[in-house]
Amino acid sequence: MRICYLGDAPSIHTQRWCSYFVSLGHEVHLVTFRDAKIAGVEVHFINAGPIKSTGGNWRVLLKATKVKRLLEKIKPDILHAHYATSYGAVGARTGFHPYIITPHGTDVLITPWKSRVYRWLLRNTFKSADLVLIVADHMREAVQRLG
C-alpha cells in the first residue's frame, strides 16, 4: 500500500507512524512544512516559511494547491494528516479521499476555543475526513463538540 502522511517531520509522533508502516513493508511518503529525514520514508518538504510551535501558521493553508499537485504525482492509496489545525486543514483542502486526521492535543483541546475562526476551520476540516483517529480518551468529547 502507498500511504502519504501530512505532518511535521521532526515530530516524534509523525516519525513513529511513518516508521511503523515502513516496517510493515508499505511505501510511505511524508509531506511536511518542516524538513527532517526518516529512514525508509520519501519526505517531500514544502517551504511555507517559518513554522512556530506556538501557532499562527496560517501560511500553510496557502500551500494546499501545491500539496494537491504533489498528491497527484504520489498517487497514494490513503492520506493521513497529523495535527488538525495545520496539516489537517491543508489536507482537507486538497479534496483527497480516503482522508484520515489524527489530532494530538492542543489542536482540539485549546486552540478551537480561542476564536470562532479556529472552530469554523476545525469543523470544516473534520467534516472532510473519512475517519478521525483519537489518540486519547479525553480528546474524544472535544472532537465530538467540533463535529
Side-chain angles (χ1 to χ4, degrees):
M1 179 184 293
R2 184 176 299 138
I3 303 168
C4 185
Y5 285 96
L6 275 173
D8 194 36
S11 165
I12 189 64
H13 303 298
T14 303
Q15 292 178 11
R16 285 180 178 160
W17 277 86
C18 289
S19 296
Y20 176 74
F21 283 97
V22 165
S23 76
L24 294 179
H26 297 288
E27 179 182 332
V28 177
H29 293 257
L30 172 64
V31 178
T32 185
F33 302 123
R34 291 196 326 148
D35 203 8
K37 298 208 181 300
I38 304 172
V41 176
E42 179 82 26
V43 177
H44 306 271
F45 170 67
I46 295 175
N47 189 346
I51 303 296
K52 300 175 285 189
S53 59
T54 55
N57 300 307
W58 59 269
R59 280 182 237 71
V60 301
L61 296 174
L62 303 175
K63 300 298 180 180
T65 301
K66 192 167 192 167
V67 172
K68 183 176 182 170
R69 277 191 240 121
L70 188 55
L71 291 172
E72 289 167 357
K73 291 178 185 174
I74 297 169
K75 295 181 176 31
D77 296 308
I78 195 160
L79 178 63
H80 187 172
H82 285 261
Y83 206 78
T85 52
S86 54
Y87 292 99
V90 169
R93 272 127 199 91
T94 68
F96 187 91
H97 291 279
Y99 180 51
I100 299 172
I101 301 172
T102 300
H104 283 279
T106 58
D107 52 344
V108 292
L109 296 174
I110 297 170
T111 303
W113 315 116
K114 289 182 177 181
S115 80
R116 290 181 183 167
V117 173
Y118 281 127
R119 283 192 296 281
W120 175 85
L121 177 72
L122 284 169
R123 280 190 183 108
N124 285 296
T125 296
F126 287 133
K127 284 179 186 176
S128 74
D130 297 296
L131 180 67
V132 178
L133 295 177
I134 306 299
V135 297
D137 286 336
H138 69 283
M139 294 170 53
R140 181 174 288 120
E141 182 182 324
V143 171
Q144 287 173 333
R145 284 177 53 200
L146 290 166

